[in-house]
Amino acid sequence: MEISHVVEDNRNENMQNSQTLLSSKSCVSSQNEYTQEVEPGPPHESLFLVLAYLPLFELLAMSEVCMSLRDTVHNDVLLWLNIIVERPLSLRLSDEILMKITSKASGRLKTLVLINCEKITDDGLQLVVRKNPHINKLFLPECTGLTPEGVIRAVKTLSENHHSLKSLRIHGIYNIKKDHLNTIRSYFQMKLPQQEHQRQQPILFHHRNSPEFRNEESNPMIGIDVDICPKCNNVSMVYDCPRETCKKKSCKACNLCIPRCEECGECIIESEELEATACGDNLCSNCWLQLPKCNFCNQPYCKLHINHQHRLSSSNGFVCDACHVKFVAMLGACYC
């Protein structure tokens, strides 16, 4: 009886092993069939539809993936009608590279955005606008290599031959005076209808860094971003105040004349004290109370510098840069 039980157990084990072996072989065969079915080929057609929505950096990277994508990126003019250059490309962009990129539009360029492109010169910009006379949005913020005379020359070129430059952003370019601004305005007044002059949207301080040029239809900006400050009479970014009590009085000025909250954009009145922050930016009392604070110094970061927070694994709070340096120094002194 014991021998029969042992034989039956051996038979069962052999059957189980054979089933396991068969299942493993079937899995291997299915994997082989799957690997045999998948062969190298051209990208899926839907991938080509995504190219029009990619930023410039990713678009250039896609051109290095395969030959079909390279040919599409280089030959499709529609991908190059709106060129936005920002970091990290802005630090490397030169006049020669800009000319190569804009030439892909074949003279049909509509939007040219150069953010903090320090190497772009007046001659490089003029060469681009000459070959692309249909540009209606020209954004040059923080392009410190440009001069007011170079901007005037570019605006004049784009305003000739019945071509309308509708939107211009030049804040951050050095030495722009009232005479320069008045000259630029004269070219806008020659070409823009009166109804478009009235479409200038209020410029709020806390929205100045938002990428609204990516959504011009919902938040159109017609005209020039800089203005003459009514307080100091200098050319600068002049901000409106969203505070309800300030809409009836003159609270429109540059940030140097009227300090504003980095979070809500409201003016900080003289009776209100500036709250201390870890990043050094201005905050009103209401926004200061709502923001999370450093666990050590009890000072918040504004939304522009929230990435400077050092998160703690042992708690839900954070430590600011200054306190983090002190904390690391204290730990180093303890272990020495």
Side-chain angles (χ1 to χ4, degrees):
M1 294 291 292
E2 293 179 358
I3 296 175
S4 63
H5 285 300
V6 171
V7 171
E8 289 181 358
D9 292 337
N10 291 333
R11 288 179 179 176
N12 293 332
E13 289 179 1
N14 292 332
M15 293 180 64
Q16 291 178 358
N17 292 332
S18 61
Q19 291 177 357
T20 304
L21 182 61
L22 290 174
S23 62
S24 62
K25 288 182 178 180
S26 63
C27 291
V28 171
S29 62
S30 62
Q31 290 179 358
N32 293 331
E33 292 177 358
Y34 178 75
T35 54
Q36 291 176 359
E37 291 178 358
V38 179
E39 296 180 355
H44 194 273
E45 295 180 356
S46 60
L47 186 59
F48 294 92
L49 302 177
V50 181
L51 297 177
Y53 301 94
L54 293 178
L56 180 60
F57 183 80
E58 284 78 3
L59 184 63
L60 295 175
M62 290 294 289
S63 65
E64 303 293 332
V65 174
C66 62
M67 295 181 62
S68 57
L69 285 175
R70 181 197 63 187
D71 296 338
T72 302
V73 170
H74 289 178
N75 300 327
D76 191 353
V77 178
L78 297 178
L79 300 177
W80 303 98
L81 298 183
N82 301 287
I83 296 178
I84 301 174
V85 182
E86 51 191 352
R87 289 179 181 272
L89 295 180
S90 59
L91 301 177
R92 307 173 185 176
L93 188 69
S94 61
D95 292 340
E96 182 180 358
I97 298 176
L98 178 63
M99 193 61 208
K100 290 181 179 180
I101 294 176
T102 54
S103 64
K104 298 180 184 298
S106 301
R108 297 166 57 185
L109 185 64
K110 295 181 179 180
T111 300
L112 179 60
V113 178
L114 306 178
I115 302 176
N116 198 15
C117 299
E118 301 176 353
K119 297 181 180 180
I120 300 300
T121 63
D122 295 340
D123 294 335
L125 178 63
Q126 182 64 18
L127 187 60
V128 171
V129 298
R130 278 182 180 177
K131 296 191 175 183
N132 297 273
H134 299 283
I135 297 176
N136 53 32
K137 297 182 181 67
L138 181 62
F139 301 159
L140 309 169
E142 308 295 338
C143 292
T144 54
L146 299 175
T147 64
E149 291 77 14
V151 175
I152 292 175
R153 189 170 51 163
V155 173
K156 181 180 179 181
T157 302
L158 294 175
S159 300
E160 294 174 347
N161 301 323
H162 304 285
H163 299 304
S164 296
L165 178 64
K166 297 181 179 181
S167 184
L168 176 67
R169 301 187 186 181
I170 53 176
H171 67 272
I173 298 179
Y174 297 145
N175 300 321
I176 298 180
K177 307 298 182 182
K178 293 173 61 177
D179 295 338
H180 299 138
L181 183 59
N182 291 332
T183 303
I184 294 174
R185 283 176 173 175
S186 65
Y187 293 115
F188 273 82
Q189 292 173 358
M190 287 190 302
K191 297 297 180 181
L192 286 180
Q194 183 64 29
Q195 60 269 22
E196 290 191 345
H197 284 290
Q198 300 175 357
R199 289 178 58 192
Q200 176 69 45
Q201 298 293 322
I203 301 178
L204 302 179
F205 180 72
H206 61 302
H207 290 166
R208 71 191 188 281
N209 293 316
S210 60
E212 65 272 8
F213 53 80
R214 299 181 186 273
N215 192 9
E216 287 286 335
E217 295 181 357
S218 61
N219 187 19
M221 179 179 175
I222 305 298
I224 312 172
D225 59 343
V226 297
D227 201 351
I228 300 175
C229 177
K231 301 290 184 181
C232 62
N233 209 29
N234 293 325
V235 177
S236 179
M237 290 284 292
V238 178
Y239 302 103
D240 298 275
C241 186
R243 193 193 295 265
E244 292 294 333
T245 57
C246 294
K247 292 182 179 180
K248 297 181 180 180
K249 65 178 183 178
S250 178
C251 189
K252 188 173 183 178
C254 66
N255 187 45
L256 296 178
C257 295
I258 299 180
R260 302 185 185 276
C261 176
E262 193 67 55
E263 289 289 322
C264 65
E266 294 184 355
C267 63
I268 301 177
I269 57 180
E270 297 179 357
S271 60
E272 186 177 4
E273 295 184 0
L274 293 176
E275 301 292 347
T277 59
C279 55
D281 290 329
N282 298 329
L283 290 177
C284 65
S285 299
N286 293 333
C287 293
W288 189 90
L289 293 173
Q290 296 176 8
L291 292 174
K293 313 293 190 302
C294 171
N295 289 0
F296 290 169
C297 66
N298 196 37
Q299 293 182 2
Y301 276 114
C302 68
K303 59 184 178 182
L304 294 180
H305 302 95
I306 193 173
N307 57 332
H308 292 187
Q309 297 178 358
H310 296 272
R311 291 291 177 178
L312 300 176
S313 58
S314 59
S315 64
N316 296 327
F318 71 92
V319 177
C320 66
D321 280 335
C323 294
H324 183 260
V325 172
K326 295 179 182 178
F327 182 71
V328 172
M330 289 174 58
L331 289 178
C334 292
Y335 285 103
C336 289

